[in-house]
Amino acid sequence: MEGLIIGNISNTYKIKSKQNIYEAYARGKFKNDDITPLVGDGVEFSLLDNSQQAVIENILPRKNSLKRPKVSNIDQILFIVSAKHPKPDLLMLDKQLAYAEFLNIEPVIIINKIDLADCEQIKELYTKVGYKTIITSAKEKIGIGDVKQVLKNKTSVFSGNSGVGKSSIINAIFDTNKTEEGEVSKKNKKGKNTTTDTKLYEIEENTYIADTPGFSSFEITEIETTNLAECFREFKPQIANCEFVGCTHIKEEKCGIKNAIKEGKISQERYENYCKIYEELKDKEKHRW
Ligand SMILES: Nc1nc2c(ncn2[C@@H]2O[C@H](COP(=O)(O)OP(=O)(O)OP(=O)(O)O)[C@@H](O)[C@H]2O)c(=O)[nH]1
Ligand SMILES: [Mg+2]
Ligand SMILES: [Zn+2]
């Protein structure tokens, strides 16, 4: 039989087939092969005699996979920041956007909690870069229709800091408290629900969204410093204007990126974050050897 992995808690998986939802575990061989099944995987599975217990036999070929959050076969990543509580972390957002470009997965930005603060400037900044940017309030049900629209016929994943409202937006889409149901949520220190496991929700036919646990740091060590500028979407067309081959766009004069800043084509904020991320990656590269 074939199905789709829609949930995973330690060694147990939830598989959805056309007929049913099954609890499953993976055959021991996956551990040895060093590929463990991921939420989003299509799988072949069999049922144990006289039970609803399933065993994953085989993982179907993946289109792509992410390490963080751990999901596979996705069409787009929705990066959520909140207008306030927590305040927008644009360095983290730029890191995530660079990573999406690196993976060649289309990013969409959602600025949530717009009922708490105005975020037009951030929206303008990223719209100009070339990203679809949606303003929402899960609380006041603002922008939820726009989110539904970009999700249509795709598998998407929600990513972002803890507390920005990923689960709340999914709840608003369904108009119920779907993501607070039992096993995926546990009370955190402040007595609030926090997502602890990645789970795939079917919004309608052919439309899935993965809710994931939030995080407070984001590693993009797979990107080489020499490729970082290409992962900044609006930098890319300007690189050809640099005088020096291999220009890092940091200390060099006659730099296409720096000229583009002067001409207002690249924002100072994005450039400063590029420099910070560049230094971070450089540091990691040094320690690798
Ligand atoms: N004012 C306001 N509060 C919101 C909004 N969206 C979410 N919240 C609140 O923010 C808190 C965190 O929301 P969650 O949806 O749990 O955030 P999350 O991103 O899923 O967090 P993790 O699961 O920990 O990663 C909750 O108390 C929500 O009620 C919003 O649009 N406006
Ligand atoms: Mg959550
Ligand atoms: Zn340059």
Side-chain angles (χ1 to χ4, degrees), residues 242 247-249 252 254-257:
C242 296
C247 181
T248 64
H249 326 298
E252 295 90 342
K254 298 183 182 170
C255 167
I257 305 295

Side-chain angles (χ1 to χ4, degrees), residues 125 129 234-235 261 264-272:
L125 171 66
V129 169
E234 76 282 33
F235 288 21
I261 297 170
K265 290 179 185 158
I266 289 177
S267 81
Q268 186 65 29
E269 291 106 310
R270 285 271 288 173
Y271 177 69
E272 277 167 19

Side-chain angles (χ1 to χ4, degrees), residues 162-163 187-194:
S162 188
K187 300 278 179 189
N188 70 11
K189 279 175 248 148
K190 290 174 194 151
K192 285 183 182 150
N193 281 305
T194 186

Side-chain angles (χ1 to χ4, degrees), residues 91-121:
L91 177 60
M92 166 103 85
L93 178 62
D94 285 335
K95 243 189 236 183
Q96 292 179 301
L97 289 168
Y99 194 54
E101 296 287 346
F102 173 74
L103 296 173
N104 211 5
I105 298 174
E106 186 61 27
V108 174
I109 299 164
I110 295 182
I111 309 168
N112 188 41
K113 307 198 190 184
I114 199 65
D115 54 292
L116 298 181
D118 170 58
C119 272
E120 277 306 321
Q121 268 184 334

Side-chain angles (χ1 to χ4, degrees), residues 229 238-244 246-250 252-259 271 274:
Q238 309 297 338
I239 297 172
N241 302 327
C242 296
E243 175 100 350
F244 305 104
C247 181
T248 64
H249 326 298
I250 309 242
E252 295 90 342
E253 299 297 320
K254 298 183 182 170
C255 167
I257 305 295
K258 288 184 186 169
N259 282 337
Y271 177 69
Y274 165 82

